[in-house]
Amino acid sequence: LTSGIDRTNDPFSPTRGYRANASAEHASAFTLSDFRYNRATLDGAGFVQIRKRGAIGVHGRIGWVSPLGSTSQAVGVASNLDDGILHPRKRFYAGGSHSVRGFGENQLGPRVLTIPLVSLQSHDSLNLACTSGTDVTQCNPNLATLKDRDFDPRPLGGNFVAEGSVEARFPLWRDLMGAGFVDAGIVRQKTNPTLPRQRAAITPGIGVRYHSPVGPIRADIGLNPGSVESLPVVTENIVNGQKTLVTLQ
């Protein structure tokens, strides 16, 4: 079920009005679904014109999803997760150009670092448990020879998301507009308690808007004032031809 309303004066750069939409989803054996869950979202924005061309806008988004325990049996996967299995596309993510702009796309929230096993083994060559594959969880991901580019940050998504932003737009020169904004958000997951649970942040920033003949052009710079983040490292192990994901100790 979805519903929406739009009372803004412009689809791309509104200066007056408001818009909102809400949705609710249910998936179960009754709907012939393998992945089973309940999900709800609410998204809204409002705009107030300042003088002739300026405007202040506020935006908020909140979402919640809960998996149903029968998913494990439906998809034929054994799970020791108390809250069941949740499809990645139905989880919530934050960060990016249309979200909290101090973060990369989907990078605000619980995350892990992934790295190929061969990369770990080549750098940790003196660790017999790692190189032989008898216990790859003993591989050391903190070696100085490993670089940031060797790891890939992967968002886990969450069961709950809340976002909010305030933006002020003002004229600079002719069709060129300036903007200042503050974004905030939090993503929390409880599907897997052994992995990071939540991440929240507030990111200020500035930007420019240009009304070109072919449509509006927007460029923003968001500042992420967050501190250093410690993340678990996950790699892939192969035992008897079966691939599994393991978290390094």
Side-chain angles (χ1 to χ4, degrees):
L1 299 174
T2 62
S3 63
I5 186 172
D6 192 337
R7 293 292 184 267
T8 57
N9 62 336
D10 187 279
F12 296 109
S13 301
T15 57
R16 298 188 309 274
Y18 63 91
R19 58 185 174 217
N21 60 74
S23 67
E25 298 180 44
H26 170 76
S28 65
F30 178 77
T31 64
L32 305 180
S33 301
D34 288 335
F35 288 91
R36 302 169 181 180
Y37 60 90
N38 293 310
R39 191 176 193 266
T41 59
L42 179 63
D43 191 301
F47 305 90
V48 177
Q49 185 168 340
I50 305 297
R51 295 187 176 180
K52 185 177 181 180
R53 298 173 58 199
I56 293 179
V58 295
H59 171 256
R61 178 173 76 111
I62 189 170
W64 166 86
V65 61
S66 179
L68 302 181
S70 58
T71 298
S72 300
Q73 181 180 359
V75 299
V77 175
S79 174
N80 58 358
L81 302 179
D82 295 336
D83 293 303
I85 299 174
L86 187 60
H87 196 284
R89 291 187 179 180
K90 292 303 175 181
R91 299 172 187 173
F92 291 103
Y93 303 87
S97 60
H98 295 283
S99 180
V100 182
R101 285 166 278 188
F103 287 80
E105 196 70 24
N106 298 334
Q107 292 298 314
L108 170 59
R111 300 186 301 166
V112 297
L113 296 175
T114 60
I115 185 172
L117 179 59
V118 291
S119 296
L120 282 171
Q121 292 173 330
S122 63
H123 287 273
D124 202 4
S125 58
L126 299 180
N127 187 339
L128 293 180
C130 178
T131 55
S132 65
T134 56
D135 188 2
V136 299
T137 63
Q138 298 293 329
C139 296
N140 185 3
N142 297 304
L143 295 171
T145 54
L146 287 168
K147 306 301 181 183
D148 288 349
R149 63 177 176 269
D150 295 322
F151 299 90
D152 190 11
R154 299 278 187 173
L156 300 176
N159 300 75
F160 173 81
V161 64
E163 290 180 356
S165 66
V166 179
E167 178 175 295
R169 298 196 301 266
F170 46 87
L172 292 177
W173 181 72
R174 293 188 178 180
D175 291 330
L176 188 66
M177 303 285 291
F181 58 86
V182 177
D183 297 338
I186 180 173
V187 179
R188 180 183 302 140
Q189 72 92 14
K190 62 176 183 178
T191 305
N192 192 334
T194 64
L195 295 176
R197 301 299 297 270
Q198 69 176 35
R199 180 81 189 279
I202 300 175
T203 62
I206 58 174
V208 293
R209 315 283 185 264
Y210 176 64
H211 295 278
S212 72
V214 296
I217 298 173
R218 176 170 68 98
D220 291 326
I221 298 176
L223 173 64
N224 183 351
S227 58
V228 175
E229 183 182 8
S230 296
L231 298 175
V233 178
V234 175
T235 191
E236 184 180 65
N237 192 23
I238 303 177
V239 178
N240 297 326
Q242 184 70 30
K243 295 182 179 180
T244 59
L245 295 178
V246 294
T247 303
L248 303 188
Q249 295 183 10

